Amino acid sequence: MKHLRFSTARQVIDAFPNLDGEFSGYNLDLEPFAFIDALLAQGGARKAMMFCAFVLPRREAVQWLSLALRQRPQPPSGAEANLLGLVDDWLKKPIEFTRRAALDAGMDDPDKGAFAWAALAAGWSGGSLSPNPEHPVPPPPHLTGHAVNVGLTLLVAGLPMARQVGGMEDLVGDAVALLRRGGS
């Protein structure tokens, strides 16, 4: 099992202040796997999915969303396939050129569906938000997790209502598997 960068749920919440309040009332002193299990046991599949988007390292979080989009029953449209291709390019070769291409495509996508959020997640993983290299603007640390969470939420929203909770639980299982084996 890969060493987790956080030893408690509280450390995750402290690292990403945008999550403050999302998990009030839960035992934040649990280690991440136990915390995810507790969320699921309490009917908190949506919260467990959100937590996974932040506890995973950025690259693995983007990989998780990419894998989820590939498992979607309907094939991607041409624009969706293009966005997913840019995400895959970045996953294979996480350099500035591939990151910037994914960011620009995600920003330019008029629909802002789950595939655009995957491109944004890759684009917000590092580098600069500014197109001007003379004035770099690093993305806030929470943006990749936020984009992954939004992309997964949109993906699940496309499922029949009776299948949504199970879909989130399946996604959480996939995230836990990524955490346990360290990605790829």
Side-chain angles (χ1 to χ4, degrees), residues 126-130 132 135-139:
S128 175
L129 297 177
S130 171
N132 183 346
H135 302 286
V137 178

Side-chain angles (χ1 to χ4, degrees), residues 43-168:
R46 185 191 68 74
K47 288 201 180 275
M49 187 175 74
M50 178 191 303
F51 182 78
C52 288
F54 290 90
V55 75
L56 279 163
R58 289 179 188 140
R59 186 171 181 284
E60 283 86 349
V62 175
Q63 180 183 18
W64 177 38
L65 177 52
S66 173
L67 292 169
L69 291 170
R70 289 190 181 292
Q71 294 171 358
R72 190 179 79 153
Q74 59 273 45
S77 70
E80 291 170 339
N82 182 55
L83 288 163
L84 194 54
L86 292 169
V87 171
D88 288 344
D89 290 347
W90 177 80
L91 286 167
K92 289 176 196 158
K93 196 169 187 178
I95 60 173
E96 183 59 17
F97 177 79
T98 57
R99 185 201 67 81
R100 189 79 218 181
L103 176 63
D104 291 344
M107 294 295 287
D108 291 343
D109 184 74
D111 297 329
K112 293 297 185 279
F115 290 85
W117 283 96
L120 291 171
W124 289 336
S125 65
S128 175
L129 297 177
S130 171
N132 183 346
E134 306 264 332
H135 302 286
V137 178
H142 74 278
L143 283 184
T144 296
H146 172 72
V148 168
N149 184 51
V150 172
L152 291 169
T153 300
L154 290 171
L155 181 63
V156 169
L159 295 173
M161 188 72 94
R163 187 60 198 108
Q164 289 182 0
V165 171
M168 286 184 278

Side-chain angles (χ1 to χ4, degrees), residues 4-6 8-9 12-13 16 18-19 22-23 31-40 44-65 68 121 141-153 167-180 183:
L4 295 178
R5 59 190 175 138
F6 303 105
T8 66
V12 177
I13 306 310
F16 301 103
N18 61 302
L19 295 178
E22 286 290 339
F23 298 99
E31 61 88 24
F33 293 116
F35 187 69
I36 292 166
D37 289 344
L39 290 171
L40 291 172
R46 185 191 68 74
K47 288 201 180 275
M49 187 175 74
M50 178 191 303
F51 182 78
C52 288
F54 290 90
V55 75
L56 279 163
R58 289 179 188 140
R59 186 171 181 284
E60 283 86 349
V62 175
Q63 180 183 18
W64 177 38
L65 177 52
H142 74 278
L143 283 184
T144 296
H146 172 72
V148 168
N149 184 51
V150 172
L152 291 169
T153 300
M168 286 184 278
E169 290 170 345
D170 291 346
L171 287 167
V172 170
D174 294 342
V176 168
L178 276 173
L179 275 169
R180 289 196 187 280

